[in-house]
Amino acid sequence: MVALYLGIPTANIPIEGVTVGGQRDIDSGVYYGWAGLSPSNATKQDTTSLHSSSTTAQVPHANGEAPDALLSASAASATGEKENNVSDQTAATGTVYPMVMSIGWNPYYKNTVRSVEVHILHHFAADFYGRHMNLMILGFIRPEYDYVSKESLIEDIKTDIEVARRSLERPAYAEFRHDGYLLDFEGKGDVAS
């Protein structure tokens, strides 16, 4: 978890099994999209706060209505309906969150193994270790860079988070949060470690 050392918590997932548009040969870099988490104590919490690199903020819809960036399968319609009963729904289905992720070698840390690190734009009160995560990658932010300082790396990560947040507010990207794939955990038993 390289980003955790930087104060930005990440979920690390194996590069095997990650595909973009059916292709396994994914360029290193920073991407954004949606992450569906299987039900856990972590997904049963306040659904209005999203994790920003150093603060908690509400993220309004592009249409200006109340935030519902965190969604369960049947809560909150695409038109911005508020999510009032999410705890009951997430208990059974899981929750969808905005995310930014890095695929690469982390050259600043001289890693010898390529990794996938997902930062969910939400502050969790509990860990979600051992849970399934489905990812939908919607866009590319930038290629992977080496950095001369930790501070410049952190500055770019904060920028990546803001780019992801703003991009996912756009209606064309926001509607993908309702895709059934994100909360399809049926038949998934083993969790990669």
Side-chain angles (χ1 to χ4, degrees), residues 152-166:
S152 61
L153 171 59
I154 292 170
E155 185 177 326
D156 269 8
I157 291 171
K158 288 179 179 181
T159 299
D160 298 336
I161 290 168
E162 190 54 34
V163 168
R165 184 184 316 283
R166 284 194 324 265

Side-chain angles (χ1 to χ4, degrees), residues 1 7 9 22 32 41 67 78-80 84 89 94 97 122 127 134 140 146 148 164 169 176 178 186 188:
M1 255 197 252
Y32 64 88
N41 288 335
T79 60
N84 295 323
Q89 309 220 351
Y97 301 91
H122 180 77
D127 290 329
N134 291 335
F140 182 79
D146 196 354
V148 295
E169 288 174 353
F176 281 101
H178 299 286
E186 190 174 327
K188 295 182 180 174

Side-chain angles (χ1 to χ4, degrees), residues 47 72 74-76 82-91:
T47 61
S72 63
S74 56
K82 288 185 184 178
E83 194 180 349
N84 295 323
N85 199 9
V86 75
S87 62
D88 292 340
Q89 309 220 351
T90 58

